[in-house]
Amino acid sequence: MSPGRRQLLQLACSAALFAPAWARTAAAAGGGSLDPWAGQLQQHGHADGPGARALFFDPRGLCTDPRTGDVLVADAANAMVRRIRADGTVSSVAGVPELRRTVEGPAARAGFVGPDAVAAASDGTVYISDSYANTLRVLRDGRVSLLAGADQLPGYADGPGPQARFNHPVGIAIDPRDGSLLVADSYNHTVRRVSRDGVVGTVAGTPGINDHRDGAARHALFNTPVGIAVAGDGSVYVSEYFNHDIRRISPRGDVSTVAGIPGKPGDVDGPAPRAQLRRPQQITFDASGGLLIADAGNLLLRRLGSDGVLRTLAGRAGGELAQPGPLPTALGTPYGVAVGPAGSIAVSTGQAVLLVRPATA
């Protein structure tokens, strides 16, 4: 794996800005807590088992299993997919610890290079974005196989799975309407779609051009898309690492900016057109339709509500190491985000997965 690439997409390399006092009142007054769930913040490794006895090695993308409510983890440096049950018990789903090469076959003997994101379907199928292999993999009926891309061959090409090419695919999400997979093809600066049978097409963006332009999908431009989420109506939401914003692709194919000021990083809550983000990573929808955002550069968990207002749920400027306890408290650098048990929000940070429990949970 490339340490430079991992650092590029994981670490915030400048201090977060302080927001005005009014921008923090919701988080400060709302109460709630940041609780340990699985893994240890500063100790990496591989161990299954309950809560703090479990170990991860660079846990990144998260998703909620719609069948069980468990959270699946792309355990990147372990090159594995892991599962966390509601009580915090961790088990291995697929991969061999630190094998870091592509191997197809039974889940326990399969190999990944560096998985960054996972998505789970209601039929039990699990999709894996193996970013550092430039492939998309699928776990079905206990076996891991290639869905699309070519092992460690970056490039750009639409078409049937093995003929398609990606350049560091990161976030993935399932379209609830047809079961296809949406992909944030990060270094191609595009959003791609993969059909259930593995045929790849481009939804928006122009490969090789990193910029910002709204409008019709065929003319829109992106800059390092990394997170992706699909709403019930088929709208696709995309977080952009270097544009510092959230974009929306409508079912009709129109691209618009829904939160953040393109190219202007900052830390401001409030109405989405004036709110600011800094290097956002994964995104997902909560049960009430709010968009949860791992705002990595600001060390915050944010939520874009249906009222169009961006609010901070957890974290604080300067809190590079998470400190579990009452909110507001330090969150560390969040990467993955998923709906957790009992109204909580699971966040991967450091070498652990923590639970944000808003006071209303």
Side-chain angles (χ1 to χ4, degrees), residues 19 33 38 58 61 65 72 78 109 114 118 121 127 149 189 191 204 217 232 272 302 336:
S33 63
D58 194 14
D65 187 331
L72 300 179
N78 269 326
R109 297 197 295 273
V118 285
Y127 298 94
H189 311 292
V191 176
R302 319 282 288 277

Side-chain angles (χ1 to χ4, degrees), residues 293-311:
I293 305 165
D295 189 6
N298 283 321
L299 312 177
L300 303 174
L301 174 66
R302 319 282 288 277
R303 182 180 187 273
L304 179 62
S306 57
D307 59 358
V309 176
L310 186 70
R311 297 178 174 88

